[in-house]
Amino acid sequence: FFMMGIPTETKEDLLESVSLSLKLLEDNPNAVRVFNIFTPFPGTELFDLAVKHGLRVPQRLEDWISFNYRSFAKNVPWLPKEMRGIIEMLDFCNFFVGKKHYLKPYEKTNPFVVLLSNIYAPLARKRVENFFYRFPIEIKLAKYLGLYAKQG
């Protein structure tokens, strides 16, 4: 398991994590690797670090709805725009990287969706390997269709 989007994390730090995860897959093709987006939880040292780096703490319970491991909170001032793009790409594309990507384990997954994911997998891997986050048409389409990372 890997976490990304932590305050103070640099592009180089993230690249090292991705490189390590790909090396793990190279060494063991049956490995499963998971990347989640940092979510600041009150009472933790990382929450305090996020506040120190500009997080505006939600004042109402409803304001916490946008905080989850699959999407960015609306207020992540510690991440420059480029890092947000890279993390969004990694969050989506990592589902398709590796021998055991996420769509295969679910037996009720529509066969057409599995076919599309298998076709898309090589492109996803190239995006991850090269940190190519620009023009994320497939991510926008998946979100538009309600298939991925529904925002609160």
Side-chain angles (χ1 to χ4, degrees):
F1 285 88
F2 294 86
M3 194 179 333
M4 56 187 170
I6 298 170
T8 73
E9 180 179 43
T10 66
K11 185 177 175 182
E12 291 74 26
D13 295 333
L14 191 51
L15 182 58
E16 284 183 37
S17 295
V18 169
S19 295
L20 174 61
S21 75
L22 293 172
K23 175 78 171 112
L24 291 171
L25 276 181
E26 185 180 306
D27 291 348
N28 179 4
N30 291 315
V32 175
R33 49 195 260 304
V34 177
F35 277 81
N36 287 319
I37 298 171
F38 165 68
T39 303
F41 288 109
T44 64
E45 289 181 34
L46 284 176
F47 180 83
D48 296 339
L49 185 62
V51 170
K52 182 179 174 184
H53 283 87
L55 173 67
R56 283 186 247 130
V57 180
Q59 299 302 307
R60 302 174 313 142
L61 184 60
E62 296 83 11
D63 296 335
W64 285 98
I65 198 161
S66 64
F67 286 80
N68 69 68
Y69 73 98
R70 193 75 304 119
S71 64
F72 288 113
K74 293 176 183 171
N75 179 18
V76 286
W78 58 86
L79 288 177
K81 186 177 181 179
E82 181 184 31
M83 280 289 282
R84 289 180 196 189
I86 291 168
I87 289 171
E88 181 180 47
M89 175 276 298
L90 289 172
D91 186 53
F92 182 80
C93 291
N94 275 318
F95 279 105
F96 302 94
V97 176
K99 184 177 179 181
K100 293 187 174 186
H101 59 73
Y102 287 93
L103 292 176
K104 287 184 180 179
Y106 305 110
E107 63 184 54
K108 292 186 179 182
T109 301
N110 182 310
F112 183 68
V113 172
V114 173
L115 174 67
L116 288 177
S117 74
N118 287 326
I119 292 169
Y120 176 69
L123 175 60
R125 184 171 181 109
K126 287 295 179 195
R127 275 192 178 276
V128 169
E129 289 173 344
N130 298 300
F131 261 40
F132 184 69
Y133 68 95
R134 299 186 194 283
F135 312 112
I137 297 165
E138 65 277 21
I139 299 170
K140 291 184 186 309
L141 179 62
K143 285 183 178 184
Y144 175 78
L145 294 172
L147 299 172
Y148 175 74
K150 185 175 180 178
Q151 299 291 323

